[in-house]
C-alpha cells in the first residue's frame, strides 16, 4: 500500500488549541504559571466528570504519585500497608506505591477488559489491605458491582486510574467517580491532551485540600482550608507563614497554557469519544476471530486504541505479524497498556523475589501476544477496512 500509514495518534493538537495559546500569550501582564485558567479548567473538568473537586497537575504519573501520598496522609491505621494493583498497568501506578513505602500486592487481569481480575482482588484482601488501585486499561471499564460492594463493606479505599479511559462508564455513570480519588492523563497520545498533564478528581473535601498542598512542594499557603492554615501558622510560630512545608513531596504544577488547551480540548471530548467508539466497534466486529481474540466487553467503554490479542502462542508467528505491520506502516505497541507484565520489568526485581511471574496467565498472554494500534477521531471507516484487511490476511 503506497503512502499508507496508520500512526498511534493523529492531530490530537488542533489549530483551535494554538489560537487559545495565542490568546494567553497576547494578554497584557501575562501570567503563565498556575493561576486563574488552571482553576477554570479544574472546575470545568469536575463538571464534565461529575465530581466536586479536581486538581490539575503536570502528568498522569504525578496524579498517581500524589494520590498514594494522600493515602499515606489520611491513613490512620499504620498496620495497613498493602495496596492491590494489576500486573497490567502503567509503571507509575506501581512506583507510586513503592516510593510511598507501601507494599504492592499483584493480581492478574481479564482478557475481556484488560482490567484487574476482581475475584483475585477479593481473595487477596486481608487486614493489611489499605486500598485497591484499579487501572481502567485502554478505554475499558474495570469495575463490577461485587467488587464495589466488598470494598465498601470492608472499608477499603478504591483509587481509580482512568488515564486511558476518559469518558468510559459503569452502570451509565462515568468511571473516575466511584473511588475516593481518580487520576487522568492528558499526555498527547490519550483521549485529550494538554501536551503533558494530568488530573486528580474527588468528592472528598479533605482529599481535595491536601492534593493542592501536595501538588506544590507541600506548601501550606496552597491550602484551600483557611481555618487549618491559621491553626498551623499558629503552631509553627518560628516559621515564615508563607514558607511552611507540611509534607514530603515535589512540584507537580501545570501552567496557564496547559489549562487553556485543556479547556478547549474538553469541548470536543464527548464528540471525539463517540467517533472513537464507533471506530472501535467496527474494528472489532470485522477482525477475524479465528486469528484474533475478539471477546471484549465494550459495555460503557471509550477506547482511544484498538486492542489486538493474537490467538496463536507461537513467537515465530508473532514476529511475522509484527513484520507485516511494520511493512504496512501500521504503528503498534506490544504488551497493551504499559508494555505487558510489569513483574518482568527491572525496576521491580528487588520487590518481587518470592513471586512466580508465570502464575499471572492472562497478563503473560498479553505480554507476548497483546498489542494496540491507534484509534483517533479523524480515522475513517475506509482506513479501518484497509487495516482489518491487512490483519485478516496474515497467516498464523
Ligand atoms: C494507565 C496509565 N496510568 C498513568 C499514566 C501516566 O500518565 P503520564 O504519561 O501523563 O504521566 C499512563 C500513561 O500513559 C497510563 O497509561
Amino acid at each position: 500500500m503506497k503512502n499508507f500509514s496508520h500512526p498511534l495518534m493523529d492531530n490530537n493538537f488542533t489549530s483551535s488549541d494554538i489560537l487559545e495559546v495565542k490568546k494567553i500569550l497576547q494578554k497584557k501582564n501575562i501570567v503563565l504559571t498556575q493561576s486563574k485558567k488552571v482553576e477554570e479548567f479544574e472546575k470545568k473538568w469536575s463538571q464534565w466528570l461529575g465530581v466536586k473537586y479536581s486538581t490539575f497537575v503536570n502528568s498522569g504519573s504525578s496524579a498517581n504519585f500524589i494520590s498514594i501520598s494522600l493515602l499515606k496522609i489520611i491513613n490512620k491505621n499504620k498496620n495497613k500497608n498493602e495496596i492491590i494493583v494489576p500486573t497490567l498497568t502503567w509503571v507509575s501506578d506501581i512506583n507510586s506505591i513503592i516510593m510511598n513505602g507501601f507494599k504492592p500486592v499483584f493480581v492478574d487481569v481479564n482478557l475481556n477488559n484488560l482490567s484487574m481480575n476482581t475475584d483475585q482482588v477479593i481473595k487477596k484482601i486481608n487486614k493489611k489491605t489499605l486500598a485497591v488501585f484499579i487501572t481502567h486499561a485502554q478505554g475499558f471499564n474495570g469495575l463490577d458491582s461485587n467488587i464495589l460492594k466488598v470494598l465498601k463493606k470492608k472499608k477499603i479505599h478504591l483509587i481509580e486510574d482512568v488515564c486511558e479511559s476518559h469518558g468510559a462508564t459503569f452502570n451509565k455513570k462515568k468511571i473516575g467517580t466511584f473511588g475516593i480519588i481518580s487520576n487522568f492523563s492528558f499526555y498527547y497520545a490519550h483521549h485529550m491532551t494538554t501536551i503533558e498533564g494530568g488530573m486528580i478528581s474527588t468528592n472528598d473535601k479533605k482529599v481535595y485540600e491536601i492534593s493542592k498542598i501536595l501538588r506544590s512542594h507541600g506548601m501550606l499557603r496552597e491550602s484551600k482550608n483557611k481555618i487549618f492554615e491559621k491553626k498551623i501558622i499558629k503552631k509553627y510560630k518560628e516559621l515564615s507563614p508563607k514558607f511552611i512545608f507540611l509534607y514530603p513531596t515535589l512540584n507537580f504544577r501545570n501552567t496557564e497554557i496547559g489549562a487553556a488547551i485543556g479547556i478547549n480540548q474538553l469541548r470536543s471530548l464527548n464528540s471525539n469519544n463517540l467517533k472513537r467508539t464507533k471506530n472501535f466497534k467496527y474494528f472489532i466486529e470485522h477482525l477475524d476471530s479465528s486469528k484474533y481474540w475478539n471477546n471484549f466487553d465494550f459495555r460503557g467503554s471509550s477506547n482511544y486504541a484498538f486492542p489486538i490479542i493474537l490467538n496463536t502462542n507461537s513467537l515465530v508467528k508473532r514476529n511475522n505479524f509484527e513484520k507485516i505491520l511494520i511493512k504496512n506502516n501500521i504503528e503498534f505497541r506490544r504488551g497493551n497498556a504499559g508494555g505487558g507484565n510489569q513483574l518482568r520489568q527491572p525496576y521491580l526485581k528487588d520487590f518481587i523475589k518470592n513471586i512466580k511471574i508465570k502464575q499471572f496467565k492472562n497478563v503473560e498472554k498479553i505480554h507476548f501476544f497483546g498489542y494496540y494500534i491507534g484509534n483517533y477521531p479523524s480515522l475513517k471507516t475506509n482506513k479501518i477496512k484497509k487495516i482489518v484487511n491487512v490483519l485478516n490476511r496474515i497467516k498464523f
Side-chain angles (χ1 to χ4, degrees):
M1 276 185 275
K2 253 192 183 165
N3 299 327
F4 181 87
S5 82
H6 179 54
L8 288 182
M9 181 55 69
D10 181 53
N11 251 346
N12 208 10
F13 193 74
T14 64
S15 49
S16 70
D17 294 321
I18 294 169
L19 277 181
E20 293 300 324
V21 175
K22 264 193 187 160
K23 273 191 219 162
I24 295 245
L25 293 176
Q26 281 163 351
K27 270 191 181 162
K28 278 191 185 152
N29 303 325
I30 177 175
V31 176
L32 294 178
T33 51
Q34 178 187 291
S35 186
K36 294 266 180 304
K37 275 278 163 202
V38 168
E39 280 179 18
E40 187 187 333
F41 181 35
E42 290 171 342
K43 283 206 182 94
K44 290 195 163 140
W45 177 263
S46 297
Q47 275 163 10
W48 175 84
L49 182 62
V51 294
K52 287 186 187 153
Y53 314 106
S54 293
T55 297
F56 184 38
V57 290
N58 55 11
S59 74
S61 20
S62 302
N64 293 153
F65 185 82
I66 291 177
S67 301
I68 305 297
S69 299
L70 249 159
L71 266 192
K72 203 168 165 181
I73 294 165
I74 63 173
N75 175 27
K76 300 276 177 281
N77 180 352
K78 300 300 169 197
N79 292 325
K80 287 190 164 211
N81 69 343
E82 293 186 359
I83 298 180
I84 304 179
V85 266
T87 40
L88 184 76
T89 181
W90 193 253
V91 56
S92 51
D93 292 56
I94 300 170
N95 268 336
S96 299
I97 294 173
I98 295 169
M99 288 162 79
N100 278 294
F102 292 115
K103 182 181 168 203
V105 173
F106 296 99
V107 292
D108 203 358
V109 293
N110 312 305
L111 290 185
N112 66 357
N113 65 3
L114 307 178
S115 191
M116 59 211 305
N117 178 320
T118 50
D119 291 337
Q120 284 189 21
V121 173
I122 291 167
K123 275 193 196 131
K124 296 214 170 169
I125 288 175
N126 64 51
K127 283 189 180 139
K128 290 183 167 181
T129 310
L130 175 64
V132 170
F133 194 1
I134 193 170
T135 299
H136 300 284
Q138 289 194 338
F140 294 105
N141 157 55
L143 290 171
D144 59 61
S145 308
N146 195 30
I147 189 71
L148 288 174
K149 209 167 79 192
V150 171
L151 296 184
K152 193 171 172 198
K153 191 171 160 217
K154 297 194 183 259
K155 294 195 170 70
I156 291 168
H157 296 298
L158 172 69
I159 303 186
E160 295 180 80
D161 183 330
V162 200
C163 288
E164 300 186 2
S165 300
H166 314 49
T169 57
F170 170 58
N171 278 346
K172 303 209 165 114
K173 191 171 171 244
K174 283 203 181 92
I175 55 173
T177 59
F178 290 89
I180 181 169
I181 313 170
S182 61
N183 303 156
F184 291 82
S185 164
F186 305 127
Y187 176 63
Y188 175 77
H190 289 160
H191 295 71
M192 62 169 263
T193 187
T194 56
I195 308 175
E196 296 278 2
M199 197 70 90
I200 299 160
S201 294
T202 185
N203 281 315
D204 187 305
K205 195 157 186 265
K206 196 169 169 203
V207 162
Y208 159 71
E209 288 169 5
I210 301 172
S211 72
K212 293 284 188 261
I213 300 174
L214 283 174
R215 169 175 68 182
S216 201
H217 307 286
M219 213 148 41
L220 178 69
R221 69 171 127 116
E222 293 287 320
S223 176
K224 293 285 172 192
N225 182 338
K226 293 301 149 198
I227 298 169
F228 172 73
E229 193 179 342
K230 269 191 193 152
K231 206 172 111 191
I232 301 289
I233 290 173
K234 218 169 155 191
K235 189 172 171 190
Y236 294 97
K237 287 199 181 65
E238 76 282 15
L239 298 177
S240 161
K242 293 287 178 211
F243 291 115
I244 298 179
F245 302 100
L246 276 180
Y247 312 116
T249 181
L250 300 168
N251 172 5
F252 298 110
R253 292 188 302 253
N254 209 305
T255 65
E256 292 291 274
I257 293 178
I261 298 168
I263 292 166
N264 193 46
Q265 289 253 329
L266 191 52
R267 293 187 185 115
S268 38
L269 180 60
N270 289 341
S271 58
N272 281 345
N273 282 353
L274 285 176
K275 289 177 197 163
R276 288 181 151 118
T277 301
K278 189 173 150 253
N279 283 346
F280 178 77
K281 286 190 175 146
Y282 183 92
F283 177 79
I284 293 294
E285 278 163 15
H286 288 81
L287 213 53
D288 183 342
S289 62
S290 71
K291 296 174 178 176
Y292 306 100
W293 161 273
N294 73 347
N295 211 359
F296 291 104
D297 179 359
F298 44 79
R299 280 173 298 173
S301 79
S302 173
N303 308 75
Y304 74 95
F306 296 148
I308 301 172
I309 303 173
L310 313 186
N311 286 342
T312 183
N313 285 321
S314 153
L315 287 175
V316 175
K317 288 179 180 164
R318 176 202 83 176
N319 292 346
N320 182 50
F321 164 86
E322 289 190 4
K323 266 191 205 146
I324 293 172
L325 261 60
I326 291 166
K327 201 175 129 207
N328 285 281
N329 286 325
I330 299 172
E331 194 179 2
F332 64 86
R333 291 283 183 276
R334 192 201 309 147
N336 292 78
N341 192 351
Q342 285 289 319
L343 302 183
R344 289 185 171 272
Q345 296 289 350
Y347 78 93
L348 261 183
K349 270 207 170 82
D350 291 340
F351 297 90
I352 56 159
K353 285 192 175 124
N354 299 320
I355 297 181
K356 288 195 182 80
I357 290 174
K358 289 185 182 163
Q359 66 177 297
F360 302 104
K361 294 205 163 56
N362 286 343
V363 75
E364 280 289 276
K365 174 75 188 174
I366 288 164
H367 187 89
F368 292 102
F369 303 99
Y371 295 84
Y372 75 87
I373 61 173
N375 173 18
Y376 35 85
S378 63
L379 183 60
K380 296 280 177 282
T381 311
N382 259 352
K383 195 164 177 183
I384 308 174
K385 257 185 204 165
K386 282 184 190 166
I387 297 161
V388 166
N389 250 337
V390 170
L391 295 174
N392 286 348
R393 277 205 313 265
I394 299 176
K395 291 199 169 61
F396 285 100

